[in-house]
Amino acid sequence: MVLLAACSSSGQSKPESAPPTTADGPPGPGTTGAYGGAVTRAQVDAAVSKIDDIVQSGMSSTGVPGVAVAVVFHDQVVLAKGYGVRTIGQPDKIDTDTVFQLASMSKPVSSTAVAALVGKGVIKWSDPVHPYAPSLVFSDPWVTDHVTFADLYSHRTGLPGDAGDSLESIGYTRDQILQRLRYVPLNPFRASYGYANFGTTAGGDAAAKAAGVGFEDMMDQQLFQPAGMTASSARYADFLARADRATIHARIDGNWVPGPPRMPDAQAPAGGVSSNIKDMATWMRLQLAGGKLAGQQIVAEDALAATHTPQIVIDPLAAPDAPGDFYGLGWIVGVNHLGYMRWAHSGAFTNGAATTVQLLPTEQLGVVVLTNGQPIGLSEGVADDIIDTVVKGAPTQDWVKHWGEHFAPEYIPDPSLVTPPANSTPAQPNDAYTGSYANDFYGTFEVTDGPAGLSLVEGPAKVTFPLTHFDGNTFLEFPVAGEPHKPLAIEFTMGPDGKASAISLGGADGGGLETLTRA
């Protein structure tokens, strides 16, 4: 089964991850500048002069083909620039008009549009969503009746972190995936954090229903058009229609190659926005100015401020005096490694996109980095390098290396699936495994036998994965082109008649729904 997370290569909870808690201590109250921050324009200008070197060094060490960077300060865009190429081996350069897929940076972008609806009184963040989206049902009826827009945008519904991700990759539509959330067992409501793409998607979808339009139109009407973000869209077709767009890339056996396309329409509120660096600079200015652009209130200040307010702890604190990381409404909020309040989010597609945004609201400073390479730490490393250079005059450590080490485990094969055991046993005859298997969450899968052997055919799109025998009744499936090192184990349970009675999907999401029984 394909697992294509919007935010990390594994779909787990914290790709944005807090920086190390080795803070130099919070800055003292600043008095410089109209905004009262401690950072000066001279510091920013000095840092901007070093950004070319920062980006080019990071690209050289990682090989990522293309990068775009923007820096805003005190409501001004002080840098917007592209580096490298849109497609490796091709001459077309990244520029400020090049459109990138944002992946999970879509979450704070879509929460901005929902905040616009809140500001207009269409909904409240505290409203239960069920009246607006009656088909959205959870496995706990109390949660169905009480879950709010704020719950969905802060990942505190109790949904497991990757619930629904694998359904998207095998052809289920947004509506079909949201319908199937009712089968997913929940963790404790409002007491557990689970980074669930389709929780956010449910919130954005319900907000659009409250406004009487589709989600994509809601994004246009509430954010992109009023803010003049003319290159931004929540439709994959619009991204493809842009001639100046970045191709996604994966690193295979040490070489960067164009990745297979990533069509994220099903989870558009969580991972389907595309944009360029100009529009992202505009959006950062709007965030830091309390919803205003050029004196016009695009999003109500109070409704937007709620998105930057902690809603749930992401991880228990490492120590009583350690800075904490919290999730707001589409944002990670907390204190960075230098002691500054920080609003941040990253995005990643394993097929080949990695993005990040960091805002220091007390300093009215924002940095966004877009790349067309799979997540290996370049976007976060460049952003941290820039912020350190603004505040300290130079990076406080090798951030690209640090973030590379953070992401490295995502690319390490499961040792238990690398080599069959020495005492491995042969498989049964192929016809012992062929047939239909189903459950309510995944629907019906087919195990077929062809000239090349067994395959698993999954979902409405009939996505077909060859099965490689590993040991006994265990086979391997290689689901993600960008991760040939990460097979999934497909386990067959044999019945008394010598035929398989069930299959178990390794790496499956949905909270215990990994078993499909013979239909």
Side-chain angles (χ1 to χ4, degrees):
M1 157 188 355
V2 178
L3 296 173
L4 295 179
C7 240
S8 81
S9 53
S10 65
Q12 297 305 308
S13 62
K14 240 182 81 181
E16 306 84 0
S17 195
T21 56
T22 55
D24 296 338
T31 57
T32 302
Y35 293 88
V39 169
T40 67
R41 179 58 187 260
Q43 288 175 280
V44 173
D45 289 343
V48 166
S49 71
K50 301 175 183 178
I51 289 177
D52 285 358
D53 290 341
I54 289 171
V55 175
Q56 289 163 0
S57 173
M59 293 177 69
S60 176
S61 66
T62 62
V64 170
V67 176
V69 177
V71 179
V72 301
F73 183 64
H74 287 197
D75 203 32
Q76 293 184 341
V77 181
V78 296
L79 175 82
K81 191 170 181 179
Y83 303 83
V85 295
R86 304 196 313 238
T87 305
I88 197 163
Q90 300 295 320
D92 298 319
K93 302 292 186 182
I94 299 287
D95 56 32
T96 57
D97 292 314
T98 303
V99 174
F100 291 75
Q101 291 182 273
L102 300 187
S104 271
M105 255 182 62
S106 303
K107 292 178 174 70
V109 176
S110 72
S111 78
T112 306
V114 176
L117 293 177
V118 172
K120 294 173 181 176
V122 176
I123 58 171
K124 298 183 181 70
W125 283 115
S126 59
D127 280 346
V129 302
H130 194 59
Y132 304 105
S135 63
L136 182 64
V137 174
F138 291 88
S139 58
D140 183 331
W142 198 92
V143 174
T144 298
D145 291 338
H146 292 84
V147 69
T148 66
F149 292 99
D151 293 325
L152 290 164
Y153 262 92
S154 61
H155 303 301
R156 64 185 187 196
T157 63
L159 283 171
D162 51 6
D165 286 351
S166 62
L167 296 181
E168 175 191 11
S169 62
I170 56 176
Y172 283 100
T173 66
R174 184 186 308 163
D175 287 345
Q176 290 171 330
I177 295 169
L178 295 180
Q179 287 274 350
R180 280 167 167 73
L181 294 182
R182 68 190 62 202
Y183 301 117
V184 179
L186 299 177
N187 295 315
F189 181 51
R190 293 182 183 159
S192 54
Y193 170 81
Y195 187 87
N197 289 316
F198 281 95
T200 301
T201 296
D205 183 76
K209 284 181 167 64
V213 297
F215 173 77
E216 294 77 9
D217 289 338
M218 187 272 287
M219 294 295 294
D220 292 339
Q221 295 168 11
Q222 301 301 323
L223 178 59
F224 298 149
Q225 292 169 4
M229 297 170 63
T230 56
S232 300
S233 176
R235 302 175 188 85
Y236 184 65
D238 290 345
F239 170 72
L240 289 182
R242 293 275 176 182
D244 189 354
R245 69 178 185 273
T247 301
I248 60 177
H249 294 80
R251 189 168 59 180
I252 308 296
D253 296 328
N255 299 311
W256 287 97
V257 298
R262 178 69 169 93
M263 199 284 280
D265 281 353
Q267 59 161 281
V273 174
S274 58
S275 189
N276 64 16
I277 205 69
K278 287 180 179 177
D279 281 5
M280 286 293 94
T282 297
W283 174 71
M284 288 194 295
R285 288 175 51 222
L286 181 147
Q287 296 292 325
L288 292 168
K292 284 185 178 180
L293 284 173
Q296 180 183 358
Q297 197 75 45
I298 305 296
V299 181
E301 185 172 9
D302 288 350
L304 186 64
T307 69
H308 307 136
T309 302
Q311 303 290 324
I312 190 166
V313 175
I314 291 176
D315 281 330
L317 300 185
D321 60 346
D325 252 355
F326 305 84
Y327 209 90
L329 303 176
W331 285 96
I332 287 181
V333 295
V335 176
N336 78 352
H337 61 286
L338 299 175
Y340 288 85
M341 172 61 70
R342 182 188 72 152
W343 308 332
H345 214 287
S346 289
F349 289 149
T350 54
N351 284 11
T355 61
T356 200
V357 60
Q358 293 194 34
L359 305 179
L360 306 187
T362 63
E363 309 310 307
Q364 289 289 297
L365 175 69
V367 177
V368 66
V369 182
L370 311 178
T371 80
N372 62 356
Q374 67 184 172
I376 59 170
L378 179 62
S379 57
E380 291 84 359
V382 166
D384 279 335
D385 277 352
I386 292 171
I387 287 172
D388 275 6
T389 304
V390 169
V391 176
K392 294 291 187 180
T396 58
Q397 64 167 294
D398 185 340
W399 284 110
V400 173
K401 179 182 177 182
H402 164 79
W403 285 108
E405 291 170 350
H406 170 82
F407 283 101
E410 300 289 347
Y411 304 99
I412 297 175
D414 181 344
S416 69
L417 299 179
V418 172
T419 304
N423 59 347
S424 63
T425 58
Q428 301 297 316
N430 284 359
D431 63 3
Y433 305 111
T434 56
S436 299
Y437 302 81
N439 68 18
D440 289 336
F441 186 71
Y442 286 103
T444 300
F445 287 5
E446 301 281 345
V447 177
T448 62
D449 187 13
L454 295 175
S455 293
L456 187 59
V457 183
E458 305 180 5
K462 305 295 183 185
V463 182
T464 300
F465 299 103
L467 296 179
T468 301
H469 182 251
F470 187 71
D471 178 32
N473 297 310
T474 300
F475 292 75
L476 300 183
E477 172 188 297
F478 293 82
V480 182
E483 296 185 326
H485 56 284
K486 294 186 74 171
L488 300 179
I490 306 297
E491 305 272 356
F492 288 87
T493 300
M494 306 307 293
D497 60 355
K499 299 282 190 179
S501 60
I503 56 174
S504 179
L505 309 173
D509 62 3
L513 295 171
E514 67 278 359
T515 300
L516 287 74
T517 58
R518 184 181 285 276

